[in-house]
Amino acid sequence: MPAHELTIGQVASRTGLSVSAIRYYEKEGLVFAHRNAGGQRRFPRSALRRLSFVIAAQKFGFTIARIRDVLSELPEDEAPSAKAWHAVALEFRADLDRKIAALEALRDNLEGCIGCGCLSMKNCKIYNRDDEAAREGPGPRVLRGI
Amino acid sequence: MPAHELTIGQVASRTGLSVSAIRYYEKEGLVFAHRNAGGQRRFPRSALRRLSFVIAAQKFGFTIARIRDVLSELPEDEAPSAKAWHAVALEFRADLDRKIAALEALRDNLEGCIGCGCLSMKNCKIYNRDDEAAREGPGPRVLRGI
DNA sequence: ATAATTTCTAAACCTAACTTTAGGTCAAGG
DNA sequence: CCTTGACCTAAAGTTAGGTTTAGAAATTAT
């Protein structure tokens, strides 16, 4: 086993992810590994960076699909340049700023509606958003609209 | 049917929620209804306010359990006072501010780690959080740490 | 050469927050 | 009265993001 490659267990202990989560992320296309003669995964070191990014992105509330999308700008296989990572960071950052702005706007609206104790439902911008949520189909909905 | 009471369909069209979601929320204890002679739900008008709050709280990423918790400070049955609603709004607001602050802190840390292109994993505060995530058990994890 | 770890795959299970379906019952209009 | 639309319950299905389990094969340690 070449020194520059990592087993799934090594990747797990270095990222803090579980082995099963890493397999799942591979299946979802967030990270790539090739196989050795015996069929076991061997990860390039760059996988550590990708996975660390995945962990951070999830803390911000990004879905796997969105993360895959952002990461798809990086070269799959070997050490992406600082430039490539920077582009990813920029796109990520833009999403993030939008999310924070939306949360702040909601908070400030809430002050006007509930904060005053009147909770006027006829005029409130939060409460009368024309039914967005109702049209979104099944499944968990946490933060989905933001 | 007394004019001050609402059928589930009326509640649905006024809140924008689906009928099935309202039944689900009732089962979860977020809203209450009594039954008429035929066994159908009859909601007090105050249910509109409770449900509107539920919708807003969900947009902020609060779980049903947390919302039930916050709403439990209100009288179950009839029109809570402005004072009672204000107390709820205050608690809600505090949670919210904490959430926004955490997001901003993460964003700023990200700038230091990924933003610069170096993505140093040894020194980064985001990446080296001592494995919190790995110890949190199964299930979706979106924003859970925040 | 064993024994003890790791790893492999596939499939089933889990939680949250709902929706959909199936098989009836209730209520309002003509 | 009868039909049509709203309502009822219970149970199963759905999505996201993983975990758990089972049984087999590969690696590492002794």
Side-chain angles (χ1 to χ4, degrees):
Chain A
M1 37 323 13
H4 62 285
E5 302 212 311
L6 302 164
T7 66
I8 196 169
Q10 291 170 331
V11 172
S13 63
R14 297 206 189 184
T15 56
L17 291 168
S18 65
V19 167
S20 67
I22 296 169
R23 290 203 189 103
Y24 175 74
Y25 291 154
E26 190 204 18
K27 205 163 63 182
E28 289 295 313
L30 299 184
V31 72
F32 307 91
H34 62 83
R35 305 304 180 102
N36 72 356
Q40 298 192 349
R41 290 170 183 82
R42 290 301 179 246
F43 292 87
R45 297 196 147 274
S46 61
L48 294 176
R49 206 166 264 208
R50 285 184 88 100
L51 289 173
S52 297
F53 182 82
V54 170
I55 294 168
Q58 289 210 316
K59 294 197 177 178
F60 288 111
F62 289 89
T63 65
I64 297 266
R66 178 71 181 120
I67 298 173
R68 175 173 43 226
D69 206 56
V70 171
L71 280 179
S72 72
E73 288 169 24
L74 292 177
E76 279 192 14
D77 29 357
E78 258 319 312
S81 66
K83 203 164 193 167
W85 267 114
H86 194 64
V88 168
L90 279 186
E91 185 173 347
F92 189 57
R93 166 78 199 233
D95 260 25
L96 192 49
D97 283 344
R98 251 177 281 129
K99 231 168 243 218
I100 292 176
L103 272 180
E104 283 170 347
L106 278 171
R107 174 190 63 189
D108 296 345
N109 265 298
L110 188 74
E111 279 301 292
C113 299
I114 300 184
C116 69
C118 74
L119 202 79
S120 157
M121 292 181 27
K122 283 178 189 154
N123 306 315
C124 179
K125 289 175 200 164
I126 293 181
Y127 295 165
N128 297 298
R129 308 190 117 208
D130 233 57
D131 231 31
E132 284 164 35
R135 281 195 290 269
E136 273 184 38
R141 179 159 298 160
V142 181
L143 276 181
R144 214 196 256 175
I146 315 206
Chain B
M1 38 332 355
H4 62 285
E5 303 213 309
L6 302 163
T7 67
I8 197 169
Q10 291 170 331
V11 172
S13 63
R14 297 206 190 183
T15 57
L17 291 168
S18 66
V19 166
S20 67
I22 296 169
R23 288 201 192 104
Y24 175 73
Y25 290 154
E26 190 204 18
K27 205 165 61 180
E28 289 295 313
L30 298 184
V31 72
F32 306 91
H34 62 83
R35 305 307 180 101
N36 72 356
Q40 297 192 351
R41 289 170 183 82
R42 291 300 180 247
F43 292 87
R45 296 195 148 275
S46 61
L48 294 177
R49 205 167 264 207
R50 286 184 88 99
L51 288 173
S52 297
F53 182 82
V54 170
I55 295 168
Q58 289 210 317
K59 294 196 178 179
F60 287 112
F62 290 90
T63 65
I64 297 264
R66 178 74 182 117
I67 298 173
R68 176 172 43 225
D69 207 55
V70 171
L71 280 180
S72 71
E73 289 169 24
L74 291 178
E76 279 192 14
D77 28 358
E78 259 316 314
S81 65
K83 202 163 194 168
W85 268 113
H86 194 65
V88 168
L90 279 187
E91 184 172 348
F92 188 57
R93 166 78 199 235
D95 261 24
L96 191 50
D97 283 343
R98 250 177 282 129
K99 233 168 241 217
I100 291 177
L103 272 180
E104 283 170 346
L106 277 171
R107 173 190 63 189
D108 297 344
N109 265 299
L110 187 74
E111 278 302 291
C113 299
I114 300 183
C116 71
C118 74
L119 201 79
S120 157
M121 290 180 27
K122 283 177 191 155
N123 306 316
C124 179
K125 289 176 200 164
I126 293 181
Y127 295 166
N128 296 301
R129 306 190 119 209
D130 231 57
D131 232 32
E132 284 167 35
R135 280 195 291 267
E136 274 185 38
R141 179 159 298 161
V142 181
L143 277 180
R144 213 197 259 175
I146 315 209

mmCIF file of all heavy atoms in Angstrom, chain B residues 5 7 23 41-42 47 50 59 62 74 81 124 128 136:
data_model
loop_
_atom_site.group_PDB
_atom_site.id
_atom_site.type_symbol
_atom_site.label_atom_id
_atom_site.label_comp_id
_atom_site.label_asym_id
_atom_site.label_seq_id
_atom_site.Cartn_x
_atom_site.Cartn_y
_atom_site.Cartn_z
ATOM 1 N N GLU B 5 -66.099 28.931 15.393
ATOM 2 C CA GLU B 5 -65.294 27.727 15.228
ATOM 3 C C GLU B 5 -65.014 27.450 13.766
ATOM 4 O O GLU B 5 -65.750 27.871 12.884
ATOM 5 C CB GLU B 5 -66.038 26.532 15.819
ATOM 6 C CG GLU B 5 -66.381 26.753 17.279
ATOM 7 C CD GLU B 5 -66.356 25.463 18.039
ATOM 8 O OE1 GLU B 5 -67.008 24.501 17.579
ATOM 9 O OE2 GLU B 5 -65.651 25.395 19.071
ATOM 10 N N THR B 7 -63.731 24.574 10.675
ATOM 11 C CA THR B 7 -63.488 23.203 10.243
ATOM 12 C C THR B 7 -62.022 23.095 9.832
ATOM 13 O O THR B 7 -61.337 24.107 9.629
ATOM 14 C CB THR B 7 -64.346 22.840 9.028
ATOM 15 O OG1 THR B 7 -63.899 23.633 7.929
ATOM 16 C CG2 THR B 7 -65.816 23.103 9.283
ATOM 17 N N ARG B 23 -53.703 17.800 10.638
ATOM 18 C CA ARG B 23 -53.986 16.609 11.451
ATOM 19 C C ARG B 23 -52.707 16.130 12.140
ATOM 20 O O ARG B 23 -52.709 15.767 13.304
ATOM 21 C CB ARG B 23 -54.524 15.480 10.575
ATOM 22 C CG ARG B 23 -55.929 15.727 10.081
ATOM 23 C CD ARG B 23 -56.629 14.419 9.675
ATOM 24 N NE ARG B 23 -57.858 14.708 8.945
ATOM 25 C CZ ARG B 23 -57.996 14.589 7.632
ATOM 26 N NH1 ARG B 23 -56.979 14.159 6.894
ATOM 27 N NH2 ARG B 23 -59.135 14.880 7.049
ATOM 28 N N ARG B 41 -63.354 17.512 13.632
ATOM 29 C CA ARG B 41 -62.614 18.523 14.388
ATOM 30 C C ARG B 41 -63.246 19.897 14.246
ATOM 31 O O ARG B 41 -63.670 20.290 13.154
ATOM 32 C CB ARG B 41 -61.177 18.615 13.875
ATOM 33 C CG ARG B 41 -60.315 17.419 14.212
ATOM 34 C CD ARG B 41 -58.993 17.485 13.475
ATOM 35 N NE ARG B 41 -58.167 16.311 13.738
ATOM 36 C CZ ARG B 41 -58.324 15.164 13.104
ATOM 37 N NH1 ARG B 41 -59.250 15.025 12.152
ATOM 38 N NH2 ARG B 41 -57.545 14.143 13.400
ATOM 39 N N ARG B 42 -63.261 20.626 15.337
ATOM 40 C CA ARG B 42 -63.679 22.029 15.325
ATOM 41 C C ARG B 42 -62.599 22.822 16.029
ATOM 42 O O ARG B 42 -62.300 22.595 17.199
ATOM 43 C CB ARG B 42 -65.023 22.200 16.038
ATOM 44 C CG ARG B 42 -66.202 21.571 15.291
ATOM 45 C CD ARG B 42 -66.391 22.172 13.904
ATOM 46 N NE ARG B 42 -67.514 21.560 13.188
ATOM 47 C CZ ARG B 42 -67.386 20.801 12.106
ATOM 48 N NH1 ARG B 42 -66.179 20.530 11.620
ATOM 49 N NH2 ARG B 42 -68.453 20.320 11.505
ATOM 50 N N ALA B 47 -56.362 28.774 16.986
ATOM 51 C CA ALA B 47 -55.537 27.785 16.291
ATOM 52 C C ALA B 47 -54.821 28.415 15.098
ATOM 53 O O ALA B 47 -53.712 28.006 14.744
ATOM 54 C CB ALA B 47 -56.404 26.618 15.831
ATOM 55 N N ARG B 50 -51.678 29.949 16.429
ATOM 56 C CA ARG B 50 -50.696 28.911 16.775
ATOM 57 C C ARG B 50 -50.060 28.344 15.525
ATOM 58 O O ARG B 50 -48.843 28.184 15.437
ATOM 59 C CB ARG B 50 -51.370 27.767 17.538
ATOM 60 C CG ARG B 50 -51.738 28.078 18.973
ATOM 61 C CD ARG B 50 -52.311 26.838 19.647
ATOM 62 N NE ARG B 50 -51.288 25.997 20.241
ATOM 63 C CZ ARG B 50 -50.983 26.016 21.539
ATOM 64 N NH1 ARG B 50 -51.607 26.817 22.363
ATOM 65 N NH2 ARG B 50 -50.035 25.228 22.004
ATOM 66 N N LYS B 59 -39.707 27.824 9.362
ATOM 67 C CA LYS B 59 -38.834 28.494 8.405
ATOM 68 C C LYS B 59 -37.500 28.842 9.033
ATOM 69 O O LYS B 59 -36.497 29.016 8.348
ATOM 70 C CB LYS B 59 -39.512 29.747 7.868
ATOM 71 C CG LYS B 59 -40.726 29.380 7.048
ATOM 72 C CD LYS B 59 -41.222 30.505 6.168
ATOM 73 C CE LYS B 59 -42.416 29.955 5.382
ATOM 74 N NZ LYS B 59 -43.031 30.922 4.492
ATOM 75 N N PHE B 62 -36.634 25.359 13.301
ATOM 76 C CA PHE B 62 -36.935 24.719 14.574
ATOM 77 C C PHE B 62 -37.652 23.400 14.351
ATOM 78 O O PHE B 62 -38.441 23.263 13.420
ATOM 79 C CB PHE B 62 -37.793 25.640 15.439
ATOM 80 C CG PHE B 62 -37.032 26.824 15.943
ATOM 81 C CD1 PHE B 62 -36.981 27.994 15.212
ATOM 82 C CD2 PHE B 62 -36.329 26.744 17.128
ATOM 83 C CE1 PHE B 62 -36.247 29.078 15.654
ATOM 84 C CE2 PHE B 62 -35.594 27.826 17.584
ATOM 85 C CZ PHE B 62 -35.557 28.999 16.846
ATOM 86 N N LEU B 74 -48.230 28.656 26.250
ATOM 87 C CA LEU B 74 -49.520 29.306 25.978
ATOM 88 C C LEU B 74 -50.654 28.469 26.551
ATOM 89 O O LEU B 74 -50.548 27.248 26.625
ATOM 90 C CB LEU B 74 -49.741 29.432 24.475
ATOM 91 C CG LEU B 74 -48.863 30.403 23.716
ATOM 92 C CD1 LEU B 74 -49.211 30.348 22.247
ATOM 93 C CD2 LEU B 74 -49.034 31.811 24.253
ATOM 94 N N SER B 81 -53.420 35.773 25.742
ATOM 95 C CA SER B 81 -53.244 37.221 25.815
ATOM 96 C C SER B 81 -52.020 37.661 25.016
ATOM 97 O O SER B 81 -51.122 36.863 24.721
ATOM 98 C CB SER B 81 -53.037 37.628 27.266
ATOM 99 O OG SER B 81 -51.814 37.065 27.715
ATOM 100 N N CYS B 124 -7.416 24.621 11.409
ATOM 101 C CA CYS B 124 -8.748 25.170 11.197
ATOM 102 C C CYS B 124 -9.695 24.828 12.342
ATOM 103 O O CYS B 124 -9.833 23.692 12.757
ATOM 104 C CB CYS B 124 -9.334 24.644 9.901
ATOM 105 S SG CYS B 124 -10.979 25.290 9.626
ATOM 106 N N ASN B 128 -11.338 21.010 12.888
ATOM 107 C CA ASN B 128 -10.877 20.289 14.067
ATOM 108 C C ASN B 128 -11.740 20.594 15.280
ATOM 109 O O ASN B 128 -11.331 21.262 16.206
ATOM 110 C CB ASN B 128 -9.428 20.667 14.358
ATOM 111 C CG ASN B 128 -8.515 20.234 13.231
ATOM 112 O OD1 ASN B 128 -8.437 19.053 12.909
ATOM 113 N ND2 ASN B 128 -7.861 21.192 12.599
ATOM 114 N N GLU B 136 -22.480 11.922 17.362
ATOM 115 C CA GLU B 136 -23.873 12.337 17.531
ATOM 116 C C GLU B 136 -24.909 11.302 17.160
ATOM 117 O O GLU B 136 -26.090 11.598 17.155
ATOM 118 C CB GLU B 136 -24.140 13.595 16.730
ATOM 119 C CG GLU B 136 -23.798 14.847 17.492
ATOM 120 C CD GLU B 136 -24.203 16.056 16.686
ATOM 121 O OE1 GLU B 136 -25.257 16.008 16.044
ATOM 122 O OE2 GLU B 136 -23.455 17.033 16.690
#
